[in-house]
Amino acid sequence: MTLAENLQAVRERIDAAARAAGRDPASVRLLAVSKTRPAADVRTLAGLGQRDFAENRVQELSGKAADLADLTELRWHLVGQLQRNKAAAVVRLGAGVHSVDRVPLVEALGRAADREQRTVEVHLQVDLGGPEGELGARGGASPADVPGLADAVAEAPGLRLLGLMAVAPRGEDPEPAFARLAELAARVRADHPSAVELSAGMSGDLEAAVTAGATEVRVGTALFGARPLTSGPGE
Ligand SMILES: *Cc1c(COP(=O)(O)O)cnc(C)c1O
């Protein structure tokens, strides 16, 4: 399969899931997760009209963004854990941050946005728990902490709250987890009308996410093929 064929197949999956859920396919955006993939693959997909690319490490994101600086239409997103001391680097890149999960990180991003005179688009990452409901397995804030975190983002002048992001629990039916996420998203949106995005769904579960109302799906493997084993989600 070529990248073009993969892109078409993924887009068809998204569109079919949207139609089955009675939704407009154009209401679901595809984020291509290009972690571990060469910049040349990103360039190929960009040539096919793909605009949004996601990475899970700041260093890899800055390297690729620099290699592809001529493609000014690209939008970059960080979906992996972010350390406070790298907040300024992400802000300078103009990337969206989908993995905000604690107040000190909100503060660091807010300070960096202020210094750089930029607006940073933020998703709060929610921990949907594991098979036994245990938290902490894949990063993210516990659902109970999300409303307060949303308020903290809203109070930071340089940050714009776009919505929530989550990874489905491993080894569990994603549907109830995505339903809990959608309910939490609706609560956050009631307080923060800008928080319209729901980023959920990956190669294996994008249909369940679209059914639950995802406005963004993050797809790596189904676009680019299998990654080396050491680079799974959440790293
Ligand atoms: C790697 C990754 C993805 C993509 O996962 P695939 O199963 O390869 O589609 C999505 N979201 C996050 C946070 C990731 O780290």
Side-chain angles (χ1 to χ4, degrees), residues 33 35 56 79-80 165 167 201-204 218-222 227 231-235:
V33 182
K35 62 189 182 195
N56 67 343
V79 297
M165 184 275 261
V167 177
M202 319 198 301
S203 294
R218 310 176 309 272
V219 177
T221 310
R227 285 181 297 276
S231 299
E235 279 197 357

Side-chain angles (χ1 to χ4, degrees), residues 100-101 123-129 135 139-151 161-167 175-193 195-200 212-213:
V100 174
D101 59 359
H123 288 56
L124 300 178
Q125 185 179 352
V126 183
D127 187 346
L128 294 175
L135 297 177
S142 90
D145 292 339
V146 167
L149 212 46
D151 293 343
L161 182 64
L162 285 195
L164 304 185
M165 184 275 261
V167 177
E175 274 159 35
F178 286 150
R180 292 198 302 279
L181 177 67
E183 209 177 288
L184 183 60
R187 271 177 56 201
V188 170
R189 201 176 305 130
D191 290 339
H192 303 284
V196 293
E197 305 289 351
L198 185 57
S199 171

Side-chain angles (χ1 to χ4, degrees), residues 15-41:
D15 293 359
R19 278 191 298 268
R23 299 182 55 200
D24 177 2
S27 68
V28 187
R29 184 196 311 212
L30 170 62
L31 270 57
V33 182
S34 50
K35 62 189 182 195
T36 78
R37 296 294 158 185
D41 284 0

